[in-house]
Amino acid sequence: MVEAWFGVLCLMITFFVILDGWDIGAGMLHFLVAKNQDERRVLIAAVGPLWSWHEVWLVATGGVLFVAFPRVLSIAFPGYYLALFLVLWTLVLRGISLEFRGHIDDGMWRSFWDFVIVVSNTLLAVLFGAALGNVVRGMPLGPEAELSLPLFTHFGVEGSVGILDWYTVSVAVFTVVTLAAHGASYLTLKTTGDVHDRSRRLAGRLWLAVAVLLAVVTGMTAVVRPELFSGIAGRPLAWLTVAVVMGGAGAIGTGLRYGQEARVFLGGIAFIAGLLATAAVSLFPVILHSTLDAKHSITVYNGSADPASLWAAAWWWPVAFVLSFFYFGFIGKHYKGRVEVSKDSQQPY
Amino acid sequence: MTGDPALWHRLQFAFTIVYHYLFPQLTMGLAWFLVFWKYLHWRTGNAQYGAAARLWARIFGINFAVGVVTGIPMEFQFGTNWASFSKYSGSVIGQSLAMEGMFAFFLESAFIGALVWGEKRLGPRNHFLAALGVALGSWISGYFIIVTNAFMQHPAGYAVAADGTLKIGSLSEYLLNPWALIQFCHNQAAAVVTGSFVIAAVGAFYLLKTEHTEQARLYLRWGTAIGLAAALLVAFPTGDAQAKLVAHHQPAALAAMEGRFETGPMADITLIGQPNVKMRRLDNPIRVPGMLSFLAFGTFHSNVQGLAAFPEDTWPTNIELLYYAFHVMAGLGTIFIGLMGLANLLRWRGLLETARPMLWVLMLAFPFPFIANTAGWMTAELGRQPWLIYGLFRTSEGYSKAVNSGDVLFTLIGFTGLYFVVGLLYLYLVGREVMHGPPAAEVL
């Protein structure tokens, strides 16, 4: 049962990263691919109708963590107190920037919100990347299972670590570039004209950068958590997830080579999903890894809720999960195809 | 930082939730107006309904966005600021919090984009369905939040696990907590009061300015009619039932709400007076004899316990604030019934549109439901003190021990600054939409 809930948690995180990932990516590229007000409106219309549905995956993941692994929540959330508030404030800014920008047709007003869109989305990618880095690196969990991490200390991965060190910052950079590449692939599919051409060129370059960074970060991970790699041989599932990453990368490569935009986009999704799955499979059953002593780590077994509560949630969760795709289907049907300013204008005056 | 760390955690949570709740109460109140107007527009083709839905959908969109972005921190603060509480009760209250995300937010957030952006893409039938989806989502969301709160007020459906933390005993008992059912009805009626007052205020504003007069009549008609019905429902049966629950299950809270220290039959209800906790009496009281006994337990002779009947460490921690919050809520609730009653009387006589003083009052009255609802929320939450989960778990044990007070103060200041700016922008944008009036169909 707890294994299933770990799977659910990973599945939901993956949905969030992939779906909101392209909104974040598109937001980061706001200035790079859209040069004037009309083009920026296209970018916003490309993410506008669905970004809030995407963001809910994060909120719902928080809910599932709450109900299935309350101990993880009660250790990690205070432990990463300031970082979490940075995430929350950034989410506030991103949300209102997308909504508020369209309400006033004024150059200065819009430039301001454009700037907020770029900054908040980039910061979100940095923060989520650093979070992933922290999960992989681990944290100084002692027998008291209480945690309070400073934002940074000496930037080393040994001893009194902070949230940011050379490893977690590297993962953050990797995340920024990957989500930007993902966003560029999405915009390539969703737009026409100059925006499309710029997105397409950028997608090619960014995915190339992702390939280089992936090699670097994999090497770093081998230094920081060598046991993740030695353990992989005994986990056939890990071979499968690595194959998905390779397959995704291959699809991106050939898609870029032959100009197949949908293949690049789908390859990117497989690539990101595969990476997250590889991380999940190699970390399992540990959720919060203790850098002090492995016996203080919080696993799916000692961090989970009582079985009664897990079973109760097992009744309603699948229903809600399936329902959410019905809503998405209803809405998604109407937003198929490329964005058109005439149809997707948000400014009625 | 000196002082009690729990205080800073409480202040931060109180500030962020009071601020947050200003928005969903309006969203939940406006939602069904939008649904009905979209429906009537679709079925009758009457352009007035379409225009009304369009203006209010834009205001709804701004309001919804601020509600969502200020709501997300609330969920995470359970973990960041109230970690001990989350560890103790997470596998129970996590159920309703996760259900809110999975059942309500997906529904709301999928359709809000379509409602605000998609009139042209969706067509009248699907656009109506989008409004319906958002309305259902926002009310379902409200229900799950109230279930969570009701558990803290009156725990139901739980069991104690081997390690001393709580686990789910019965999910249906948890979700159908009688406290939640009554509080939900009371709360939603109050949200409709907010929506009605805001709509009526805009109608009155347009009439006073003699702009968009057709729309103004529509807003006044719907705002005052539904406003009166909702204001009555807030008081009876929902408010009355809620008060009886408090009387039965949280007697110390009731005593504090009424500023009552002594125990006995023929308990008075207080209209005016200032609680004096040090002297254990009510200063300058004006009372109605016996009414409290009657309202709480059905007869004038029933015994109502005063605060003196309870050990002092189980008294609500802020009796004065609780007393005033309750009286502000109840007093404003009564005024709303009178005000909406008078507005409807004038409307039936055909006098409302020319009764300029009444229009001024309606226009200026819109902030008061927000105040009343905030006071109501404070009554519920202050009344629960000193318990985080009534009778089970104290507030003083619930906060995150690992977080130092300075960090909490820092984030509290951060929220204050951010929310202040967001609030200004919100008022400016909504004001602008109102000034502009309903967008015409052809430019959409």
Side-chain angles (χ1 to χ4, degrees):
Chain A
M1 197 64 195
V2 285
E3 293 88 345
W5 278 107
F6 181 71
V8 164
L9 196 63
C10 294
L11 182 74
M12 293 181 67
I13 292 173
T14 307
F15 270 110
F16 169 69
V17 173
I18 287 172
L19 295 170
D20 210 27
W22 73 57
D23 304 332
I24 292 174
M28 286 194 274
L29 302 176
H30 204 65
F31 288 143
L32 291 175
V33 301
K35 301 292 183 192
N36 59 43
Q37 288 301 340
D38 274 350
E39 293 178 357
R40 287 182 191 149
R41 204 155 80 189
V42 168
L43 244 64
I44 296 193
V47 302
L50 283 174
W51 75 269
S52 61
W53 188 75
H54 298 155
E55 195 177 277
V56 171
W57 285 96
L58 178 71
V59 183
T61 306
V64 166
L65 186 69
F66 210 139
V67 68
F69 300 101
R71 231 183 127 212
V72 173
L73 180 103
S74 70
I75 294 168
F77 276 44
Y80 286 88
Y81 188 84
L82 290 179
L84 269 162
F85 280 98
L86 282 179
V87 172
L88 294 173
W89 293 342
T90 315
L91 285 174
V92 171
L93 287 176
R94 188 201 40 171
I96 60 168
S97 64
L98 285 169
E99 172 65 31
F100 284 6
R101 184 188 183 279
H103 280 274
I104 298 180
D105 188 10
D106 174 82
M108 204 176 140
W109 174 265
R110 297 207 161 168
S111 300
F112 173 73
W113 291 114
D114 287 332
F115 175 76
V116 177
I117 286 172
V118 173
V119 171
S120 60
N121 281 291
T122 310
L123 192 55
L124 275 182
V126 169
L127 290 163
F128 289 133
L132 179 64
N134 272 269
V135 170
V136 175
R137 182 202 62 192
M139 52 214 73
L141 266 177
E144 294 297 318
E146 269 194 8
L147 203 59
S148 178
L149 255 71
L151 222 42
F152 51 85
T153 50
H154 46 69
F155 282 94
V157 294
E158 304 285 330
S160 62
V161 292
I163 293 166
L164 299 177
D165 59 33
W166 60 262
Y167 176 72
T168 58
V169 169
S170 310
V171 178
V173 171
F174 174 68
T175 309
V176 168
V177 178
T178 307
L179 292 184
H182 182 45
S185 302
Y186 174 72
L187 289 175
T188 312
L189 269 188
K190 203 69 190 162
T191 58
T192 55
D194 287 346
V195 179
H196 166 266
D197 297 343
R198 287 190 208 110
S199 305
R200 190 173 156 160
R201 269 200 305 279
L202 259 178
R205 288 182 206 150
L206 285 167
W207 280 119
L208 192 66
V210 170
V212 176
L213 285 171
L214 176 64
V216 176
V217 170
T218 309
M220 288 177 166
T221 307
V223 174
V224 174
R225 285 282 299 274
E227 75 270 22
L228 289 183
F229 289 84
S230 52
I232 237 172
R235 297 182 182 201
L237 199 54
W239 292 106
L240 184 69
T241 59
V242 171
V244 174
V245 177
M246 304 298 245
I252 296 169
T254 54
L256 288 171
R257 175 84 180 74
Y258 299 109
Q260 292 159 312
E261 293 165 358
R263 177 186 282 217
V264 178
F265 179 60
L266 295 174
I269 290 177
F271 177 79
I272 295 170
L275 275 181
L276 291 169
T278 307
V281 169
S282 47
L283 290 167
F284 182 85
V286 174
I287 300 181
L288 302 177
H289 168 72
S290 169
T291 51
L292 303 179
D293 190 333
K295 71 169 191 271
H296 300 316
S297 294
I298 304 295
T299 66
V300 298
Y301 303 108
N302 66 15
S304 67
D306 187 273
S309 296
L310 295 179
W311 276 108
W315 288 106
W316 58 259
W317 185 87
V319 179
F321 185 73
V322 172
L323 269 179
S324 77
F325 283 93
F326 273 112
Y327 318 141
F328 171 72
F330 179 91
I331 299 305
K333 199 175 74 193
H334 296 281
Y335 287 94
K336 272 196 312 225
R338 295 177 195 265
V339 177
E340 299 159 44
V341 174
S342 61
K343 249 187 177 175
D344 298 297
S345 163
Q346 50 168 339
Q347 185 46 260
Y349 303 136
Chain B
M1 287 302 304
T2 54
D4 179 13
L7 178 71
W8 297 108
H9 289 284
R10 283 180 68 184
L11 267 180
Q12 176 165 318
F13 204 86
F15 171 70
T16 47
I17 205 157
V18 163
Y19 188 90
H20 166 65
Y21 190 61
L22 297 173
F23 302 96
Q25 61 171 302
L26 182 58
T27 314
M28 293 188 297
L30 289 179
W32 295 103
F33 284 93
L34 277 179
V35 170
F36 289 127
W37 286 338
K38 285 305 314 176
Y39 181 78
L40 290 168
H41 179 53
W42 168 39
R43 301 312 294 188
T44 68
N46 184 336
Q48 289 298 337
Y49 292 122
R54 222 166 283 131
L55 171 67
W56 288 100
R58 284 178 70 80
I59 293 171
F60 191 93
I62 304 167
N63 198 71
F64 184 88
V66 180
V68 168
V69 297
T70 56
I72 294 172
M74 301 313 310
E75 187 192 16
F76 286 83
Q77 283 180 73
F78 278 106
T80 49
N81 297 76
W82 298 96
S84 306
F85 164 65
S86 297
K87 189 176 157 191
Y88 177 70
S89 66
S91 66
V92 178
I93 62 164
Q95 303 275 351
S96 44
L97 289 175
M99 282 169 134
E100 188 198 17
M102 297 290 301
F103 283 108
F105 289 163
F106 277 125
L107 181 60
E108 279 183 290
S109 64
F111 288 106
I112 183 72
L115 178 66
V116 176
W117 304 55
E119 185 172 356
K120 241 191 315 187
R121 279 209 181 222
L122 266 69
R125 186 183 74 105
N126 286 339
H127 203 229
F128 157 72
L129 287 177
L132 187 63
V134 173
L136 281 175
S138 66
W139 277 50
I140 294 171
S141 168
Y143 186 71
F144 285 125
I145 286 306
I146 281 176
V147 164
T148 314
N149 185 255
F151 179 77
M152 294 159 74
Q153 299 283 355
H154 179 59
Y158 70 95
V160 179
D163 62 353
T165 63
L166 299 185
K167 64 174 181 181
I168 274 286
S170 158
L171 190 62
S172 56
E173 274 177 37
Y174 176 68
L175 291 176
L176 300 176
N177 187 342
W179 194 292
L181 299 173
I182 288 170
Q183 196 180 330
F184 181 69
C185 297
H186 185 56
N187 197 73
Q188 299 311 95
V192 175
V193 169
T194 305
S196 309
F197 268 75
V198 170
I199 284 173
V202 173
F205 173 67
Y206 286 161
L207 270 190
L208 286 169
K209 286 191 52 118
T210 57
E211 279 175 0
H212 315 292
T213 43
E214 276 301 303
Q215 287 285 299
R217 290 192 188 101
L218 180 69
Y219 300 166
L220 274 177
R221 195 163 73 236
W222 284 66
T224 54
I226 295 177
L228 177 61
L232 287 168
L233 282 175
V234 170
F236 191 86
T238 68
D240 177 60
Q242 179 81 40
K244 287 191 163 70
L245 277 182
V246 174
H248 278 95
H249 298 289
Q250 298 184 348
L254 182 78
M257 278 155 66
E258 280 295 332
R260 191 175 163 77
F261 291 90
E262 69 285 2
T263 300
M266 279 298 281
D268 314 325
I269 211 157
T270 312
L271 298 181
I272 292 176
Q274 299 90 44
N276 186 337
V277 177
K278 212 167 130 195
M279 303 301 293
R280 303 200 166 189
R281 63 158 193 254
L282 203 66
D283 292 338
N284 314 311
I286 298 178
R287 295 177 162 132
V288 183
M291 268 318 272
L292 184 60
S293 288
F294 178 73
L295 286 174
F297 299 107
T299 72
F300 291 101
H301 296 290
S302 34
N303 212 37
V304 176
Q305 289 172 297
L307 281 166
F310 306 97
E312 255 184 75
D313 71 334
T314 59
W315 286 11
T317 38
N318 203 331
I319 290 167
E320 296 90 340
L321 198 55
L322 172 57
Y323 170 90
Y324 288 119
F326 174 66
H327 280 81
V328 165
M329 173 191 76
L332 283 176
T334 313
I335 292 172
F336 295 160
I337 294 173
L339 183 60
M340 280 299 176
L342 183 60
N344 277 290
L345 201 65
L346 289 170
R347 194 164 55 79
W348 287 321
R349 291 289 186 86
L351 299 171
L352 182 56
E353 284 171 33
T354 48
R356 291 180 66 88
M358 189 66 203
L359 292 178
W360 273 97
V361 171
L362 280 177
M363 181 179 82
L364 296 174
F366 80 87
F368 291 97
F370 291 97
I371 296 170
N373 290 352
T374 303
W377 198 246
M378 287 170 72
T379 307
E381 297 303 85
L382 290 166
R384 196 190 67 228
Q385 300 300 335
W387 302 100
L388 202 42
I389 305 173
Y390 198 83
L392 284 179
F393 192 80
R394 280 180 181 265
T395 309
S396 54
E397 301 163 38
Y399 66 92
S400 301
K401 310 286 188 301
V403 177
N404 81 58
S405 304
D407 284 357
V408 187
L409 186 61
F410 169 70
T411 50
L412 174 60
I413 293 170
F415 271 115
T416 312
L418 183 63
Y419 282 8
F420 179 70
V421 175
V422 170
L424 285 183
L425 290 167
Y426 167 85
L427 289 174
Y428 175 61
L429 285 177
V430 170
R432 225 174 147 274
E433 294 292 342
V434 171
M435 294 294 180
H436 226 286
E442 57 270 24
V443 290
L444 252 180

